[in-house]
């Protein structure tokens, strides 16, 4: 992969990790008091983003295939 592409892909992985941490941090902080459905939605969204980030990180480390 081109060097700039890898750098930008790593930035996306880092931003996704930050999103997950901030989502759970928001719920734990007590700054907001969402309903049970709201809490479940934020947690589910954070877990989905964590899954995407894990897939992206795995793809960055996977060996490159040549056609």
């Amino acid at each position: 992969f081109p060097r700039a592409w890898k750098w930008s892909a790593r930035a996306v992985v880092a931003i996704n990790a930050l999103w997950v941490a901030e989502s759970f941090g928001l719920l734990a902080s007590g700054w907001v008091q969402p309903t049970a459905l709201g809490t479940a939605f934020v947690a589910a969204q954070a877990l989905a983003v964590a899954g995407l980030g894990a897939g992206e990180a795995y793809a960055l480390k996977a060996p490159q295939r040549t056609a």
Side-chain angles (χ1 to χ4, degrees), residues 49-66:
V49 172
L52 288 172
E56 293 163 349
Y58 176 77
L60 280 171
K61 293 182 180 183
Q64 296 179 13
R65 291 192 244 177
T66 56

Side-chain angles (χ1 to χ4, degrees), residues 6-16 60:
K6 275 194 166 187
W7 180 88
S8 60
R10 286 186 184 115
V12 169
V13 171
I15 290 168
N16 284 341
L60 280 171

